[in-house]
Structure formats: structure tokens, C-alpha cells
Amino acid sequence: MSVPREEEKITFPIPLVSEVAMCNYCILLNRLPGINGINILIWRRRKTNTCILQKNEAMTYPFKINSLEQYHVDYKKSVEQPEEFWGDVASGFYWRKKWDKVLNWNFTEPKIEWFKNGKLNITENCIDRHLETMADKPAIIWEPNNPEERTRIVTYARLHKRVCQFAQVLINNGVKKGDRVCIYMGMVPELAYAVLGCARIGAIHSVIFGGFSAQSIADRLYDAQAEFIVTCDGAYRGGKDIPLKSIIDDALIGNRTIKKVIVYTRTRTPVSMIKGRDVWWEDEMEHALEQVEKEGKTSFPAEEMDAEDPLFILYTSGSTGKPKGVVHTIGGYMVWTGYTFVN
């Protein structure tokens, strides 16, 4: 097994910390359109789960509400002219083909469609369109649980490279558009690579909370009809070492649908690897790099998706009954998260 590569550390001026946002696995899908300046995400994993968005004062956001008066105007338009309102917001994103109609809804069936027949890939909005002007600027700053472990800084160029690599890893392991991939990892940048890699090829991802039991994981794997898993050997939560791979092994007892388990080395906890099913992240990424990098340039074509194609499945906790999988589609989720993250 090869040793995991550390991300290169770069030096840059730290801008003013001015906004705080919720820490969420999908926050990296919220790369905002038209940003001028540095846009940084920090994952803090010490005593609180907090993401701090750092920006300079010159940074501007499209559709940002700057006053109470503007809020009332925008809210009124969103209620009275929802198609025009959300169409304007959506125009700030990159679409391969513009939608035919912003919104179709029928609460009787029920059936709701956003941006019908629009074509896109969300990772091109997250990463690719920022490469020309922000390639060497930080996309992620990852701060570890242990203060003695070094911070990792991932630029947009590095993020693009890693996502392309992992997209190729998925293809190499038989994942294709529409397949379901469950992700059971700790809070590490590789989690973002996995999420975005799935979106790059059109696979549907479902992130499972790292504190769930083997049975809870098994239930979600079955309900999602998952065939692939991405996990770590272990993860750190506070001062504890959580044996993620061992929990996955317990969850897969009797399972006949999972084809591959990709394991990232995080804690170096001893794990069992089943030949033909389990593969190491590091080995797969090394092989994929040879496929996606030519003459120093990294490329992996993003799959064209329909706005109404599923992006991910997020399960409820199940504390009040059977867990329910909430399916988010690509176009509506991208526009909604972009707008609400700004405001």
C-alpha cells in the first residue's frame, strides 16, 4: 500500500474573517458564481463543528441582499413572480443548455420540476469555471482535530486535479452514471473529493454520518440500492479513533449488492481487506493520475446531466421511525444552495 500524499502548503495573505456558516458535507457544492477575491472554506474539527468563510471586504456576491428594503422587494418578487426570480438567479451559473421552463409544479400528484431540460454538471460550477482566475487561490483550508497535525491547504487547481483523479478511480472500479455510492468517512478533504468525483461522472452519492452503527449503515445501503462504498480505515472524533472500516465490514455481513469498497488511509488502524472487493484509495489514485494527467495538465470530462437528475440522497436520522431518503436534484439544489448560502 502506498503512503497518502500530503497536499502542498502554500503561503497567502489571510483575509478578514467575516462570515460563519454551518459545517456541512455538501458545502463545497456551493461554489458561488461571480466571486471576486479569495473564497476559503475552513473545516474545524476541535470542540465545535464550524465552518468559517474567509473573504476580503472587496468580495461581492450576486443576488446578495444588502438591506431590509431589498429583502422585502426580493421576497415579493419571489412570491409573485417565482419563475422570473429564480430564472435570474440561475442565470448566474454555467449551463451547457438553458432550461425550457423554470418551474413546473403539481402538488396533487405531487410532481415538481425545476429548470426542465436544462443541461449542466455541477462540478463545472464548483470548480472548472473558477480555474482561469482562481486556480492558485485556496478552495479549502482543512484544520485537523489534533492541533499538532498540520493544516492542509487545497487550491482550486489542486481540487480540480484530485476530483478528476477520483472520478477516474470511480470509473476504474465500475461506477457509472446513475449508480449509488455511499460515503462513510471522517471530516477530511478526501470527503469533498469523493462527493465531487461522484457528481463529476453522474453517480448519486449518499453521505452517511460517521457515528451511525453497522445496522444503521446496512439499512441505508439497502434502501439506497448502493453498490459502492467509500470509507476510511478510521476517523478521529474528539480524542476517539472510530474504526470506520471495521464498522463497514460488520454492515456488509450478508450483503450481496456491494461490489467495491474504496478505503482511504487516515488513522492507520489495522483493517481487513477482502480481495476483489476492497481497494486502497492511495493505490487507486496513483493509477488514476497516470490516466488523467498528460503533459502536466489534468483533464477528466464532466458528464452532462439533466437539471432534474438526482445529485445525492440524504437520510433522516431515523430517531422517530424508519430513515427516509431525501433526494436532491442537480439544478434546483445548485441554485437554491448558491442563493441561500449568500443570504
Side-chain angles (χ1 to χ4, degrees):
M1 184 190 72
S2 59
V3 177
R5 294 189 183 90
E6 293 286 344
E7 302 297 347
E8 294 179 358
K9 187 171 182 177
I10 62 173
T11 302
F12 63 98
I14 297 292
L16 176 68
V17 177
S18 57
E19 286 191 14
V20 177
M22 290 176 59
C23 185
N24 190 289
Y25 78 91
C26 59
I27 204 75
L28 279 173
L29 294 176
N30 303 345
R31 294 299 89 187
L32 306 176
I35 290 176
N36 299 314
I38 299 176
N39 187 22
I40 303 170
L41 185 67
I42 297 181
W43 286 358
R44 294 192 181 276
R45 295 296 300 160
R46 290 182 182 168
K47 293 184 178 179
T48 60
N49 298 338
T50 305
C51 283
I52 298 180
L53 177 68
Q54 296 184 315
K55 67 177 186 179
N56 60 27
E57 293 177 331
M59 183 180 290
T60 59
Y61 297 91
F63 308 109
K64 182 173 178 62
I65 297 173
N66 295 306
S67 66
L68 181 59
E69 180 183 6
Q70 185 185 351
Y71 168 80
H72 287 303
V73 171
D74 289 357
Y75 176 74
K76 186 173 186 291
K77 184 176 180 180
S78 73
V79 173
E80 296 178 355
Q81 300 172 284
E83 290 195 45
E84 183 178 344
F85 177 83
W86 289 111
D88 288 344
V89 176
S91 295
F93 293 85
Y94 170 68
W95 299 79
R96 294 190 182 184
K97 175 184 175 295
K98 189 175 179 179
W99 55 89
D100 295 333
K101 187 173 175 59
V102 171
L103 174 62
N104 290 311
W105 61 275
N106 183 330
F107 287 155
T108 303
E109 290 188 38
K111 183 179 181 181
I112 301 171
E113 296 176 314
W114 283 97
F115 308 108
K116 187 176 178 63
N117 294 326
K119 305 296 181 183
L120 74 159
N121 187 286
I122 197 169
T123 67
E124 292 179 326
N125 283 278
C126 299
I127 309 170
D128 298 58
R129 63 177 174 162
H130 301 302
L131 293 176
E132 184 175 349
T133 58
M134 299 178 66
D136 296 326
K137 293 187 177 183
I140 301 172
I141 297 177
W142 178 78
E143 185 175 291
N145 183 75
N146 184 350
E148 295 183 0
E149 186 179 355
R150 77 179 186 88
T151 298
R152 292 166 60 186
I153 299 171
V154 184
T155 63
Y156 278 95
R158 180 58 63 94
L159 179 61
H160 176 259
K161 181 177 182 177
R162 293 292 184 243
V163 170
C164 287
Q165 274 181 268
F166 193 71
Q168 186 65 58
V169 167
L170 293 170
I171 294 296
N172 291 346
N173 283 278
V175 185
K176 59 186 183 299
K177 180 179 178 178
D179 285 345
R180 286 83 188 273
V181 180
C182 279
I183 302 173
Y184 184 65
M185 304 178 75
M187 291 294 288
V188 289
E190 284 71 20
L191 169 60
Y193 305 161
V195 165
L196 292 166
C198 288
R200 191 84 173 177
I201 70 170
I204 304 166
H205 67 274
S206 181
V207 173
I208 300 176
F209 170 53
F212 280 146
S213 67
Q215 185 57 54
S216 296
I217 296 168
D219 292 342
R220 287 161 175 77
L221 292 173
Y222 175 79
D223 188 79
Q225 300 178 350
E227 295 180 301
F228 304 90
I229 295 174
V230 184
T231 189
C232 301
D233 55 352
Y236 298 113
R237 293 190 67 84
K240 296 181 179 180
D241 181 349
I242 310 299
L244 299 185
K245 176 57 165 61
S246 295
I247 296 172
I248 284 292
D249 289 340
D250 291 342
L252 294 183
I253 294 174
N255 182 289
R256 297 183 180 181
T257 61
I258 295 298
K259 299 176 180 178
K260 289 286 182 178
V261 179
I262 301 171
V263 185
Y264 172 69
T265 304
R266 171 68 179 124
T267 61
R268 300 193 178 278
T269 302
V271 297
S272 61
M273 298 287 284
I274 297 178
K275 187 176 181 180
R277 187 197 72 179
D278 301 346
V279 296
W280 290 106
W281 170 293
E282 295 77 22
D283 295 336
E284 295 297 309
M285 289 286 276
E286 185 174 357
H287 175 57
L289 181 60
E290 299 171 358
Q291 298 172 275
V292 301
E293 189 173 64
K294 305 295 181 184
E295 299 179 354
K297 293 184 179 180
T298 303
S299 176
F300 184 95
E303 183 75 24
E304 183 170 284
M305 306 296 291
D306 188 87
E308 275 293 292
D309 282 339
L311 176 62
F312 68 93
I313 304 171
L314 185 61
Y315 281 89
T316 58
S317 65
S319 58
T320 59
K322 182 181 178 181
K324 300 169 184 64
V326 181
V327 179
H328 291 268
T329 55
I330 299 170
Y333 177 78
M334 178 182 72
V335 174
W336 174 79
T337 49
Y339 183 82
T340 56
F341 187 71
V342 167
N343 294 300

